[in-house]
Amino acid sequence: MTFHMKSSIAGVLLLAGLGLATQAANADALDDITKAGAINVGIFSDFPPFSSASADMSIKGYDIDVAQFIADQLKVKLNLVSVTGQNRIPYLTDKRVDILMSVGYSKEREQVIDFAAAYAPYYIAVIGPAELKVEGKGDLADKSIAVNRGTLEDTSLTEAAPASADIRRFDNYNSVIQAFISGQTQLMVVGNDVGAQVLARQEALKPEQKFQLLTSPSHIGLNKNEDRLKQAVNDAVAKMLADGKLDESSKAWLKTPLNPDNLKD
């Protein structure tokens, strides 16, 4: 009888131990975030208008709006972690951050990390003064256009522009912007991150986006097999899209209303 009692107690302890081991094995990033009461979000700290230091030295921008909303939905504190293009994937896989902002999708990256829903538009646009009628590629004929030499913008413009377009290539974005606002060129081709700065500051010129040459939205990156965290992030982005908060952030930081089509790969 004593032997059977001891065996039963041992069996209960063994099952309890197995249960704890199973719980530990099933613990995931969302559990860890909830337990810690904070989510660590990897951002580029100098990437306006998506994230950059404001006058009070706090980091603000489109990415920060979205990251804060995700933290609020999870009811945890937001911890911003500055990353670079070189170290951000290792930071994620080493679990120094829970998610990454501003990650473009690629098949190569998909071998290492997972992607939540697209939340931010990134596209290459033709920008010109409101008074100049340009609605499509054909309207680039005989127009002078500034672009940064050797970039994706340059490649996209070269493929799209008619032979008569006067493409003027410069060595950096500052030179591209200066050529456009000084009237050396009628148009410029830049990403919407660079374009937002021009749209915000050149009120006299009244520049506007004419049309897009290429769209490649930004996703939120996370580690593989984190399905619960991925669903939580997707739900937060869907809520921001549905209630207009993403549109508000787009108007505030990108200086243009959000077009949901720009969130499609």
Side-chain angles (χ1 to χ4, degrees), residues 78-121:
L78 172 64
N79 286 337
L80 298 175
V81 180
S82 180
V83 298
T84 68
Q86 290 72 41
N87 71 20
R88 63 179 180 161
I89 300 298
Y91 267 43
L92 179 62
T93 55
D94 290 345
K95 298 187 177 181
R96 298 175 68 175
V97 297
D98 300 303
I99 60 174
L100 293 172
M101 308 302 291
S102 287
V103 183
Y105 171 81
S106 72
K107 291 182 178 179
E108 292 76 19
R109 284 176 177 162
E110 194 178 33
Q111 301 300 312
V112 182
I113 67 172
D114 199 0
F115 294 85
Y119 73 97

Side-chain angles (χ1 to χ4, degrees), residues 11-27:
V12 169
L13 292 174
L14 177 60
L15 289 173
L18 289 173
L20 290 173
T22 301
Q23 288 181 10
N26 291 336

Side-chain angles (χ1 to χ4, degrees), residues 28-39 74-76 228:
D28 60 9
L30 188 57
D31 289 332
D32 294 339
I33 290 166
T34 302
K35 183 177 179 180
I39 183 169
L74 297 179
K75 296 180 172 57
V76 296
R228 292 178 62 234

Side-chain angles (χ1 to χ4, degrees), residues 38-261:
I39 183 169
N40 298 316
V41 180
I43 59 151
F44 295 126
S45 57
D46 187 18
F47 186 42
F50 294 97
S51 53
S52 60
S54 61
D56 63 3
M57 299 309 294
S58 63
I59 303 296
K60 295 181 179 178
Y62 187 103
D63 278 3
I64 311 308
D65 287 355
V66 176
Q68 185 63 65
F69 188 83
I70 292 171
D72 291 344
Q73 289 298 109
L74 297 179
K75 296 180 172 57
V76 296
K77 177 185 175 184
L78 172 64
N79 286 337
L80 298 175
V81 180
S82 180
V83 298
T84 68
Q86 290 72 41
N87 71 20
R88 63 179 180 161
I89 300 298
Y91 267 43
L92 179 62
T93 55
D94 290 345
K95 298 187 177 181
R96 298 175 68 175
V97 297
D98 300 303
I99 60 174
L100 293 172
M101 308 302 291
S102 287
V103 183
Y105 171 81
S106 72
K107 291 182 178 179
E108 292 76 19
R109 284 176 177 162
E110 194 178 33
Q111 301 300 312
V112 182
I113 67 172
D114 199 0
F115 294 85
Y119 73 97
Y122 179 78
Y123 50 84
I124 294 170
V126 176
I127 293 177
E131 63 184 20
L132 184 63
K133 183 179 179 180
V134 175
E135 298 178 345
K137 299 175 183 179
D139 294 326
L140 298 178
D142 303 317
K143 302 292 193 304
S144 57
I145 313 162
V147 70
N148 195 351
R149 187 192 319 274
T151 61
L152 185 58
E153 292 100 312
D154 188 357
T155 303
S156 300
L157 175 60
T158 301
E159 291 177 355
S164 63
D166 179 13
I167 300 176
R168 301 183 188 177
R169 296 174 175 86
F170 298 87
D171 291 330
N172 54 65
Y173 288 112
N174 286 336
S175 298
V176 170
I177 293 170
Q178 187 58 39
F180 171 63
I181 64 177
S182 68
Q184 293 179 50
T185 63
Q186 296 166 285
L187 302 165
M188 70 174 184
V189 169
V190 293
N192 62 313
D193 52 345
V194 176
Q197 301 174 52
V198 179
L199 296 177
R201 298 173 185 172
Q202 297 299 320
E203 295 182 5
L205 188 60
K206 292 183 171 57
E208 63 181 14
Q209 293 179 6
K210 300 298 185 180
F211 67 95
Q212 297 175 20
L213 293 174
L214 178 147
T215 298
S216 179
S218 293
H219 291 257
I220 294 170
L222 67 162
N223 280 312
K224 285 188 172 295
N225 303 316
E226 297 292 354
D227 294 339
R228 292 178 62 234
L229 178 58
K230 182 176 180 177
Q231 186 61 55
V233 170
N234 285 345
D235 289 346
V237 171
K239 185 174 176 60
M240 290 190 78
L241 186 60
D243 65 15
K245 283 186 169 58
L246 276 184
D247 185 55
E248 291 174 11
S249 289
S250 182
K251 290 174 180 175
W253 299 106
L254 306 181
K255 306 305 176 184
T256 187
L258 179 69
N259 180 352
D261 288 341

